[in-house]
Amino acid sequence: MSYLTGFLTGVLLTVFVVFLVDNFAVANAPSGTEPQKIVNWDVAVQKLRSSITTVQEEVREVREDVHEATR
């Protein structure tokens, strides 16, 4: 269990640090230039929402299967 907690903490910390670095790059970019970002956050949010929707649909299907099996 501690391995899983450490892994998830590391993933969240990595995402948080990359987010901070990207935001500081935008804040410190010279005016009139497009700052270089590490992550395209719009695409990341879109993929996260898609993944959440997929998981929700799968959970719904599993619940329906369990409900039918327990009749």
Side-chain angles (χ1 to χ4, degrees):
M1 187 67 178
S2 62
Y3 178 77
L4 180 62
T5 304
F7 177 77
L8 292 176
T9 302
V11 168
L12 291 174
L13 185 60
T14 301
V15 170
F16 179 69
V17 168
V18 170
F19 181 76
L20 287 178
V21 168
D22 273 353
N23 282 331
F24 284 133
V26 170
N28 296 330
S31 61
T33 62
E34 183 69 27
Q36 186 71 24
K37 289 188 171 188
I38 298 172
V39 176
N40 185 342
W41 293 102
D42 296 330
V43 172
V45 168
Q46 180 184 16
K47 289 187 180 276
L48 179 63
R49 286 183 180 151
S50 174
S51 297
I52 290 171
T53 302
T54 303
V55 168
Q56 288 173 339
E57 290 172 358
E58 292 295 325
V59 167
R60 183 182 48 78
E61 289 177 13
V62 167
R63 284 183 179 173
E64 289 174 358
D65 291 344
V66 168
H67 181 71
E68 287 181 22
T70 57
R71 284 187 192 182

